[in-house]
Amino acid sequence: MDNLIITDELVLNQIYLIRGQKVMIDSDLAKLYGVENKQLKRQVRRNIERFPEDFMFEITAEEYYNARCQSGTLESGTNLKYLPMAFTELGVSMLSSVLSSPRAVQMNIQIIRIFTRVRNILHDNIEIKLEVEKIKKKLDNQDKNMEIVFKYLDELLDKPETEKPARKRIGFKPDDL
């Protein structure tokens, strides 16, 4: 097995958002696995029953172009002979069953770990946003309650002395001693 080190950042830069799913393109995966793209596609087609729509789908040329333009990796003049395959996290994990070279297995492990980290980061961000929204609601309610309190205080201060009931004084009178 090659002692080639692939950084997590390199793999992260090859994860695209297509049709609302985080996916990796077949040609990127083939490079990472150290196989030819046509070999990867051939193995997938031979085992197509292992790759339902939520594991792998063919993307349009426009989707491919948009994904590549987002990351700035599309080479000018590049034409597509065949439509690329996009693999979701589940599809990438299934690739390990059809590509069994040691390098492919190791890359699969690394890629699945990265997908999991991305999912956890997104989940943490959603939780933080929900907590911020809760705090905002509490602050809004607190503001409304404070307005009500100040309104009642203003009403009490604005009442003339004649409307205020006489209060019985409590405590010792100097005469009682």
Side-chain angles (χ1 to χ4, degrees), residues 91-143:
V92 170
S93 64
M94 186 58 73
L95 276 174
S96 65
S97 68
V98 297
L99 297 174
S100 57
S101 73
R103 179 173 173 167
V105 171
Q106 289 303 311
M107 283 308 307
N108 254 16
I109 292 169
Q110 184 176 358
I111 291 168
I112 295 303
R113 285 180 177 152
I114 291 170
F115 266 109
T116 303
R117 244 189 7 235
V118 168
R119 186 176 48 253
N120 289 339
I121 289 169
L122 291 174
H123 180 70
D124 290 346
N125 284 343
I126 290 171
E127 284 184 5
I128 290 170
K129 286 180 181 179
L130 289 173
E131 287 297 319
V132 168
E133 287 302 316
K134 281 183 188 177
I135 291 170
K136 281 182 182 178
K137 283 183 180 180
K138 284 183 180 180
L139 287 176
D140 286 345
N141 288 339
Q142 220 172 17
D143 286 347

Side-chain angles (χ1 to χ4, degrees), residues 11 45 75 85 94 108 110 113 123 158 162 169:
V11 176
R45 282 189 175 47
E75 297 171 14
M85 295 175 172
M94 186 58 73
N108 254 16
Q110 184 176 358
R113 285 180 177 152
H123 180 70
D158 290 341
T162 55
R169 297 197 71 113

Side-chain angles (χ1 to χ4, degrees), residues 4 8 13 28 33 43 76 83 92-93 113 117 126 131 135-136 167 169 175 177:
L4 183 65
D8 288 354
N13 288 335
D28 293 337
Y33 294 151
Q43 287 300 98
S76 62
L83 290 176
V92 170
S93 64
R113 285 180 177 152
R117 244 189 7 235
I126 290 171
E131 287 297 319
I135 291 170
K136 281 182 182 178
R167 295 185 350 181
R169 297 197 71 113
D175 300 341
L177 291 176

Side-chain angles (χ1 to χ4, degrees), residues 12 15 19 21 47 56 76 97 118 144 152 166-167 176:
L12 270 171
I15 297 175
R19 298 182 194 172
Q21 298 184 57
N47 297 281
M56 183 274 304
S76 62
S97 68
V118 168
K144 290 174 186 174
Y152 287 136
R167 295 185 350 181
D176 292 341

Side-chain angles (χ1 to χ4, degrees), residues 19 26 53 55 74 82 91 121 125:
R19 298 182 194 172
D26 57 3
E53 187 75 15
F55 282 41
L74 182 66
Y82 301 104
I121 289 169
N125 284 343

